[in-house]
Amino acid sequence: MKELLLIPGPTPVNEEVLKEISKQPISHVSKDFAFYIEKSIEYLKEIFGTKKGSILIIPGSGTIAMEMAIKNLLNKNEKALVLSFGFFGDRFLEILEEDGFMFDFIKSEWGEVIDLNLITEKLKKEHFSVITITHVDTSTGILAPVEDYLKVIKEFSPDSLIILDGVCATGGVKEKMDEWGIDVILTGSQKALSVPPGLAILSVSEKAMEKRKHLGKIGFYYGDFLRWKETMDDPIKYFATHNTNYTFGLKKSLEIILSEGLENRFRRHYENANFIREKMDKIGFKVFGNKNYLSPTLSLFVYPEGVDDEEFRKKLHEKGITVASGIKNLKGKVFRMGHMGEVKKDELEYAYEKIIQVINR
Ligand SMILES: *Cc1c(COP(=O)(O)O)cnc(C)c1O
């Protein structure tokens, strides 16, 4: 039986990447290992759209990158603004609260995006040192119109530092760090980058790195941008042990991504998303969320009358296809299908056939 992991992360991993990961570890402070870091940095710069950004590859999951971004950029007497479209946008609020920072937020309804006018009004009234945006909120399947937001932000609050959470986006949709004027893009290895979970990855602008230098002690030894930058600039300098084997895998996966070509890859994601949505629509599964802002990396499908969530996902899993439940208010109402990274169109077709079998019984 063919098994397909169609959840919004972790995503299927190419055999060649798995082979790399399964090699014997090498010294994390050797020249040989430095090569893997250096190449990965070079490739990641292309994917993030940055020339001068500092790339940090950290053993950890996406969430540690979110907390690093906050703690390395904010003073306790400054305020952050969170633009939240769902569960992962709200996670920034939880981090800010937990770590004792001041913040405000604008939230959209789930499945919608934030009205540009609300952002303008907020920025006219008050200054925010840091603004966070979630590129794709994995709880709602919505892709934020980041470029539109940045135009407004650059006009009304040009010196705010911008953090973009790309965990469910980077490698699946376009991101242009330098051109758009973003200060930190962060992501995790297990979503559209098609590596197993285990690496948090950040790109940090020069302006953000300067800000970090001015903060002094940040109370986050492991997550300090400056400590990681030193070992990224020269991996032979030990700070904390690099995840050697996942870095082998990362380098290989980035090579696969770039040899496909970023434009081709983004187009494939878009086409595959449309493909599966049209098919699902015909059998009564409407896609959740505002049609103008659907993310190409995952879909939320609304259950038609009479289909039970638990039973549907269980039966589908028995046929080799794993999808994810809805989160919070959407639990029981939708299921989430990841179709990012390595997922191919014929695999989506295959999953669709299994879905038909499950609902016909
Ligand atoms: C998955 C995800 C996260 C959290 O990443 P972890 O690796 O689970 O810590 C954060 N933001 C978004 C948008 C995500 O999709």
Side-chain angles (χ1 to χ4, degrees), residues 53-244:
S54 298
I55 305 289
L56 312 178
I57 303 166
I58 319 286
S61 86
T63 304
I64 201 172
M66 295 172 75
E67 189 160 22
M68 283 173 71
I70 295 292
K71 293 198 84 166
N72 279 275
L73 296 191
L74 258 183
N75 240 321
K76 289 280 152 101
N77 59 7
E78 295 171 331
K79 212 165 171 179
L81 177 66
V82 173
L83 305 183
S84 176
F85 311 92
F87 180 83
F88 287 106
D90 290 354
R91 178 161 286 189
F92 274 120
L93 297 173
E94 291 174 6
I95 291 170
L96 285 156
E97 193 183 12
E98 177 80 28
D99 292 339
F101 291 104
M102 295 191 290
F103 58 90
D104 198 349
F105 57 85
I106 311 175
K107 288 192 191 193
S108 74
E109 273 185 46
W110 282 35
E112 290 296 330
V113 297
I114 294 166
D115 187 336
L116 280 178
N117 293 322
L118 294 179
I119 302 176
T120 309
E121 273 170 40
K122 191 69 100 181
L123 297 181
K124 276 181 173 169
K125 270 192 233 138
E126 210 178 335
H127 181 261
F128 297 96
S129 301
V130 165
I131 300 176
T132 74
I133 310 173
T134 311
H135 202 171
V136 172
D137 204 302
T138 320
S139 63
T140 68
I142 292 294
L143 174 78
V146 177
E147 285 175 87
D148 295 343
Y149 291 167
L150 286 169
K151 261 182 221 139
V152 170
I153 293 169
K154 298 293 172 190
E155 182 178 347
F156 294 100
S157 190
D159 64 343
S160 298
L161 294 167
I162 314 294
I163 298 172
L164 184 67
D165 173 354
V167 180
C168 204
T170 306
V173 297
K174 182 171 79 171
E175 289 180 330
K176 293 272 179 200
M177 179 168 179
D178 293 355
E179 194 182 311
W180 295 354
I182 294 170
D183 295 288
V184 174
I185 305 187
L186 60 96
T187 194
S189 52
Q190 79 274 26
K191 300 200 182 176
L193 294 179
S194 315
V195 178
L199 294 176
I201 298 164
L202 303 99
S203 180
V204 181
S205 74
E206 289 179 305
K207 188 169 137 195
M209 217 37 111
E210 273 312 303
K211 176 69 184 280
R212 163 64 197 97
K213 282 181 196 150
H214 285 121
L215 290 183
K217 285 196 192 302
I218 58 164
F220 193 6
Y221 185 83
Y222 183 78
D224 191 335
F225 281 178
L226 297 177
R227 290 195 171 89
W228 282 105
K229 186 181 181 334
E230 227 180 283
T231 179
M232 288 293 146
D233 287 347
D234 185 3
I236 285 165
K237 288 192 187 139
Y238 170 73
F239 163 51
T241 308
H242 293 289
N243 192 328
T244 50

